[in-house]
């Protein structure tokens, strides 16, 4: 399923040390972005996930990016630049 694929990619690309059941239970919402003219590359359909981990006194779990996610890191939602994540 798409959910299984997302969870597998998160684990493979970030080496996130969160049990699979906890990660799956942390999916807060899913959304499809499918407007026909949303991408300069042509028809593009994106399924996005919002995963909210519980607050932990030790902070967020460590991320060790690899492959396509070599630069993976935690950032604040307030610091996201929509122009950089559109495409």
């Amino acid at each position: 399923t798409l959910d299984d694929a997302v969870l597998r990619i998160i684990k493979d690309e970030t080496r996130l040390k969160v049990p699979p059941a906890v990660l799956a239970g942390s999916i807060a919402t899913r959304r499809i972005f499918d407007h026909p003219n949303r991408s300069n590359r042509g028809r593009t359909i994106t399924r996005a996930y919002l995963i909210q981990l519980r607050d932990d006194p030790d902070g967020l779990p460590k991320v060790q990016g690899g492959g396509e996610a070599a630069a993976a890191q935690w950032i604040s939602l307030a610091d996201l630049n929509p122009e950089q994540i559109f495409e």
Side-chain angles (χ1 to χ4, degrees):
T1 67
L2 289 174
D3 285 4
D4 292 335
V6 165
L7 299 174
R8 183 181 67 251
I9 289 169
I10 289 171
K11 296 290 271 183
D12 290 349
E13 297 290 334
T14 66
R15 296 187 184 123
L16 198 62
K17 302 285 189 220
V18 176
V22 171
L23 201 55
S26 299
I27 297 173
T29 190
R30 303 155 186 84
R31 185 166 172 199
I32 295 174
F33 297 90
D34 61 351
H35 190 281
N37 299 317
R38 76 175 204 83
S39 175
N40 292 329
R41 296 176 291 165
R43 181 73 172 160
T44 302
I45 299 172
T46 300
R47 172 113 180 198
Y49 283 75
L50 173 61
I51 298 174
Q52 294 180 312
L53 299 174
R54 278 187 271 151
D55 288 337
D56 186 322
D58 294 329
L60 293 168
K62 188 174 181 177
V63 174
Q64 184 179 356
E68 293 177 2
Q73 62 182 310
W74 294 109
I75 61 170
S76 166
L77 289 176
D79 293 336
L80 282 177
N81 178 351
E83 294 296 321
Q84 290 179 317
I85 62 172
F86 176 73
E87 289 285 347

